Amino acid sequence: MSKLSKSKRDKRKKQQPKRPFARLSDQQQVQNHAVLTNEEGQVVAAIGLQGRQWLLSIGGQTMGNADDPMPMLAMLKHLANVQGKEGRKVDLQYSDGLGELIKVMAAEKDLDADAYLDELAAEFDTIDAEDAATEATADTDADAAAADASTDAVDVEADAAVDADADADDKPKA
């Protein structure tokens, strides 16, 4: 083998056309389709399309993926509503393609796009209300259990005091 064989081989590889198929290790780029930004212009959350999967990213981390972007878009709309109620200004923007998808889904339910998104986001409001009611019930149950426990403790202490007095009366005096 000659000393120049490696350089010849490398030169030949560079001249060959690139392979027509994508490498398995290459990640497809994520295309943003919905972005929730705060008043400073920072991205709070986003929905993107990678291949055929819709990805939800919150705070720069991917939180989940799905075949349908509507539940994720409803979450972002709900988050925007909650932030608005708390006095923070956030802006939800979505791409033309996602906008068309929303219009098609809304037309199936005889609604306009904004009403459809509001309806989807309202489902999260009912979930929040149910969670709040469950937490309130749990707090009330915990308070009642604590009150019962303290009453039981007082009853045990009173019974112990009565038993101690009875034992003292039963003992012979010296």
Side-chain angles (χ1 to χ4, degrees):
M1 198 185 276
S2 72
K3 293 181 180 182
L4 301 175
S5 62
K6 180 174 179 349
S7 62
K8 288 179 184 177
R9 187 173 57 243
D10 290 343
K11 183 179 177 184
R12 189 173 55 244
K13 282 184 179 180
K14 286 182 182 179
Q15 290 176 349
Q16 289 179 345
K18 299 288 182 194
R19 293 184 183 187
F21 58 87
R23 303 217 181 265
L24 295 177
S25 63
D26 288 346
Q27 289 279 335
Q28 292 178 331
Q29 293 293 323
V30 177
Q31 302 166 4
N32 281 339
H33 282 274
V35 178
L36 184 67
T37 55
N38 63 9
E39 43 201 27
E40 288 90 34
Q42 297 171 332
V43 175
V44 176
I47 298 173
L49 182 63
Q50 184 179 31
R52 294 184 180 182
Q53 284 288 318
W54 291 92
L55 302 174
L56 173 65
S57 176
I58 299 175
Q61 294 192 2
T62 302
M63 295 299 190
N65 60 0
D67 294 329
D68 182 17
M70 289 304 137
M72 292 185 275
L73 189 60
M75 282 189 261
L76 290 186
K77 179 71 173 175
H78 174 69
L79 182 60
N81 292 342
V82 169
Q83 294 291 318
K85 288 177 185 175
E86 293 178 357
R88 296 186 191 106
K89 184 181 181 293
V90 292
D91 186 33
L92 177 61
Q93 299 173 347
Y94 43 87
S95 67
D96 294 336
L98 190 57
E100 290 298 317
L101 183 60
I102 294 167
K103 288 178 186 175
V104 168
M105 300 294 283
E108 290 177 4
K109 294 194 175 195
D110 295 326
L111 297 170
D112 69 334
D114 291 331
Y116 179 69
L117 279 177
D118 290 338
E119 180 181 298
L120 289 176
E123 293 177 17
F124 287 98
D125 289 335
T126 58
I127 291 171
D128 286 347
E130 289 172 3
D131 288 346
T134 303
E135 288 177 14
T137 303
D139 289 344
T140 304
D141 291 344
D143 292 344
D148 287 344
S150 64
T151 304
D152 291 343
V154 170
D155 290 343
V156 168
E157 289 175 10
D159 289 342
V162 170
D163 289 342
D165 288 343
D167 288 342
D169 290 340
D170 290 341
K171 290 184 181 176
K173 294 183 180 177

